Amino acid sequence: MEMEQSGMFMPAQTVGTVLCCICGVAMPPNPANMCVRCLRSRVDITEGLIRHAAIVYCPECHSYLQPPRTWIRGLEPESKELLAFCLRRLRLPQRRIRLVHAEFIWTEPHSKRLRLRLRVQAEALHGAILEQAHMVELTVHDRLCDNCTRAQANPDQWSAVVQLRQLVQHRRTFFYLEQLILRHGAAVRAIRIAEADHGLDFFFGSRSHATKFVDFINGVAPIRFRNDKQLVSHDVKSSVYNYKHTFSVEISPVCREDLICLPPKLANALGNLGPLVLCTRVTNSIALLDPLTLRSAFLDANQYWRAPFKSLLTSRQLVEYIVLDIEVESAEVHIGGSKYVMAHAQVARITDFGKNDTMFTIRTHLGHLLNPGDYALGYDLYSANNNDFDIDQHKNLVLPETILVKKSYQEKQSKKRGKARTWKVKNLNMEVDTTSKGRNDEKRNTEYEEFLRDLEENPEMRFNISLYRNKEYQPSEAASTADGDDIPSIPLEELLADLDLSEDEGNQNGENMDE
């Protein structure tokens, strides 16, 4: 730069060229003194590389065999994980070949072929580096893995079973647990899942898989369990014992939105809480809230099972009220991620509205949600017949006439009854005995619909649940008009795209690639 500024003459720098020793074309010099075309025609760096290989695939559990005996799951079609698995099967010579790029070439889903396009680099002649494309075709052979083979040969050939039970009159807890199990893949090792009275049965091929599943349930629900084993066979010569293990798991009968009367000892241990409290959340601990004072406490599984108790009233006994007037009493309070406002409300039962003048003036923790004219669900203690031993133990206890639990949208939701939702949830592949006595499909469908409504109304409840977009949903003018009402709904940002690799989509992708 200094020489140019001084005005001195600077000759232009040129790159020297040499003639190819084969074809005589001018080219930049390289150690081989050959042009790229002649070098590729005489040197093949892909010589000795595998062009055809085979991989083993289990169509039942969608896993691939990693020799000699390891089965790998979770390899989605044309994913990075599946590409890495295929490259490990090729065993490229790392000392001689350097892999630059690898990608899948689209094939028909039913062709049982995986085609890879690789770009590799290697030293050709006298230190010259040559890059070349290499095509590999992998043949997919279907073969059942050991667990699926045993399951196909005899579905009852299990080594451990987890009997999950909850002694309540509804299945709302199991609807929620089903979504948690699907979200975390906790039952992916289950050979068979069967629906039973008051619960579910999970059958596993080994005891370790059942133990891992029990540990998962213990982390999401307050449970107690015991395990037993039964001797199936015994080899005297090798001293090998074959057992069948049974895990009996009992879930706490206390559910969300239940009204509880705490025993005196437990109420004193919790700082004179209640004794009438609402269960606001159930995970591996039970969250309790006093709706009259906004005091809260948490009970873990050990504390609960040390002195177990039952609900005074359950969510199946909720009564619908209409709010006539409401007056806010205190400021907003945040407890456990939820907000509450104490207020005085004047309510009347829907069944009495317009028939008599029975009204109740109560305190409620839903002052931030309720307005005059709204509907609410609550427990009718005024006309309830309570024969609970824990209530008799509390001296001078004055029961409130009504305890409101949540705001009701049943009247507005009735307009959308029978219409498809914009979202959907997946379900476990379980066996259902439709011939069993006492089975009520109408009751089950009603409870499932209530569970879906709870997901729409409670954002905290759907935090650990995977929701998917419903492709069958078709919006209409009537639906858009109904959506304008004050009805809780799930925003589209919380929905996941349901992966569906159909044959039609595959054909469209193939046509796009051909173009």
Side-chain angles (χ1 to χ4, degrees):
M1 293 294 296
E2 295 180 356
M3 299 180 67
E4 291 180 358
Q5 294 177 358
S6 61
M8 297 182 60
F9 172 74
M10 295 292 299
Q13 296 182 358
T14 58
V15 179
T17 59
V18 297
L19 299 180
C20 176
C21 63
I22 303 298
C23 63
V25 176
M27 65 170 190
N30 57 47
N33 289 330
M34 296 171 59
C35 63
V36 176
R37 182 176 300 177
C38 296
L39 192 60
R40 287 180 176 176
S41 63
R42 284 164 173 76
V43 179
D44 184 12
I45 62 175
T46 62
E47 184 179 359
L49 298 183
I50 297 177
R51 298 184 182 273
H52 298 275
I55 57 177
V56 181
Y57 172 74
C58 178
E60 291 294 327
C61 60
H62 307 290
S63 58
Y64 291 86
L65 176 62
Q66 177 69 36
R69 298 175 58 184
T70 304
W71 291 88
I72 302 177
R73 296 189 180 188
L75 302 181
E76 298 294 335
E78 298 190 3
S79 62
K80 295 181 180 180
E81 294 77 10
L82 180 58
L83 181 60
F85 172 79
C86 296
L87 293 177
R88 287 196 300 268
R89 297 287 294 127
L90 297 180
R91 298 180 181 178
L92 298 176
Q94 300 294 335
R95 295 183 179 180
R96 185 174 65 88
I97 296 294
R98 177 175 176 268
L99 180 63
V100 178
H101 180 70
E103 62 181 356
F104 282 104
I105 300 177
W106 188 85
T107 55
E108 293 286 346
H110 59 273
S111 64
K112 299 298 180 182
R113 297 289 189 274
L114 294 178
R115 301 183 63 189
L116 304 180
R117 180 187 290 113
L118 311 180
R119 296 203 65 84
V120 295
Q121 288 183 352
E123 182 179 348
L125 292 174
H126 308 294
I129 304 299
L130 186 63
E131 182 176 321
Q132 188 173 343
H134 180 60
M135 309 296 293
V136 180
E137 184 176 286
L138 300 172
T139 305
V140 181
H141 296 288
D142 288 346
R143 194 186 83 184
L144 296 179
C145 62
D146 297 338
N147 294 334
C148 295
T149 301
R150 288 194 295 266
Q152 291 288 338
N154 184 6
D156 294 330
Q157 190 175 1
W158 48 270
S159 299
V161 58
V162 178
Q163 298 175 345
L164 196 59
R165 299 290 184 271
Q166 186 184 33
L167 302 180
V168 293
Q169 299 300 322
H170 57 83
R171 301 186 66 89
R172 293 171 58 190
T173 301
F174 291 100
F175 292 146
Y176 182 70
L177 278 179
E178 180 182 10
Q179 301 304 319
L180 292 180
I181 292 172
L182 287 171
R183 172 71 178 268
H184 299 278
V188 69
R189 295 288 184 180
I191 297 177
R192 182 164 60 93
I193 304 174
E195 183 176 339
D197 189 20
H198 295 290
L200 299 173
D201 292 338
F202 296 83
F203 299 88
F204 296 90
S206 66
R207 183 179 181 274
S208 60
H209 296 160
T211 304
K212 186 177 180 181
F213 180 76
V214 173
D215 292 340
F216 170 79
I217 299 297
N218 190 26
V220 297
I223 65 170
R224 64 177 177 181
F225 66 94
R226 56 171 295 180
N227 60 319
D228 300 297
K229 60 182 180 180
Q230 179 184 5
L231 181 62
V232 178
S233 61
H234 173 214
D235 190 352
V236 181
K237 295 182 179 180
S238 59
S239 296
V240 175
Y241 295 83
N242 184 17
Y243 291 98
K244 281 194 172 183
H245 302 267
T246 301
F247 294 83
S248 299
V249 181
E250 181 182 357
I251 304 177
S252 166
V254 178
C255 300
R256 192 175 62 87
E257 299 176 354
D258 286 358
L259 181 64
I260 304 166
C261 182
L262 296 176
K265 291 185 179 180
L266 181 59
N268 294 333
L270 297 177
N272 292 325
L273 181 69
L276 289 179
V277 294
L278 288 174
C279 177
T280 58
R281 183 185 303 174
V282 178
T283 54
N284 56 353
S285 61
I286 302 175
L288 304 176
L289 174 69
D290 188 344
L292 303 179
T293 61
L294 291 185
R295 296 181 59 198
S296 62
F298 292 88
L299 281 178
D300 59 15
N302 295 331
Q303 291 176 322
Y304 173 80
W305 292 112
R306 196 179 299 124
F309 53 84
K310 294 184 178 180
S311 301
L312 179 64
L313 295 174
T314 65
S315 58
R316 296 179 59 85
Q317 299 169 286
L318 288 172
V319 179
E320 191 171 11
Y321 292 84
I322 183 171
V323 181
L324 303 177
D325 190 14
I326 191 165
E327 182 180 351
V328 176
E329 176 184 344
S330 64
E332 189 175 284
V333 179
H334 292 266
I335 301 175
S338 302
K339 58 182 179 180
Y340 305 99
V341 175
M342 289 301 302
H344 290 278
Q346 190 176 28
V347 299
R349 288 175 295 205
I350 293 294
T351 56
D352 297 338
F353 193 68
K355 297 181 180 180
N356 53 49
D357 297 333
T358 304
M359 295 182 296
F360 307 101
T361 302
I362 61 173
R363 297 185 68 194
T364 179
H365 61 294
L366 304 178
H368 62 297
L369 295 176
L370 300 179
N371 295 306
D374 289 344
Y375 296 89
L377 294 176
Y379 293 108
D380 184 9
L381 299 179
Y382 177 76
S383 59
N385 185 12
N386 297 315
N387 296 321
D388 192 88
F389 178 72
D390 293 331
I391 292 182
D392 298 336
Q393 288 183 323
H394 293 280
K395 298 180 180 180
N396 302 324
L397 176 61
V398 179
L399 296 178
E401 297 172 334
T402 300
I403 295 180
L404 299 183
V405 178
K406 62 180 180 178
K407 187 176 180 179
S408 175
Y409 302 92
Q410 292 183 2
E411 183 180 3
K412 297 179 180 179
Q413 288 174 342
S414 61
K415 302 177 183 179
K416 302 176 61 177
R417 186 171 301 171
K419 299 180 181 179
R421 289 181 168 88
T422 59
W423 55 276
K424 64 178 182 178
V425 294
K426 294 184 177 181
N427 301 105
L428 289 173
N429 184 17
M430 66 178 68
E431 300 177 1
V432 180
D433 187 7
T434 57
T435 61
S436 61
K437 296 182 180 180
R439 177 178 175 82
N440 191 342
D441 292 335
E442 183 178 356
K443 174 186 173 183
R444 178 187 176 89
N445 295 334
T446 302
E447 292 175 352
Y448 189 72
E449 180 66 23
E450 293 176 356
F451 167 71
L452 298 180
R453 290 179 182 176
D454 289 341
L455 290 181
E456 292 178 336
E457 298 175 6
N458 194 345
E460 298 178 2
M461 187 176 177
R462 60 177 183 261
F463 179 75
N464 293 324
I465 293 181
S466 297
L467 304 177
Y468 300 90
R469 297 178 182 177
N470 188 6
K471 296 181 179 179
E472 299 178 357
Y473 174 76
Q474 295 180 356
S476 60
E477 295 181 359
S480 60
T481 304
D483 292 341
D485 298 335
D486 186 17
I487 301 178
S489 60
I490 299 178
L492 294 177
E493 293 78 10
E494 297 184 17
L495 304 183
L496 302 175
D498 190 8
L499 182 62
D500 185 13
L501 297 178
S502 61
E503 184 175 355
D504 295 339
E505 293 177 355
N507 293 335
Q508 293 178 2
N509 294 336
E511 293 175 0
N512 295 336
M513 292 184 65
D514 294 339
E515 292 177 359

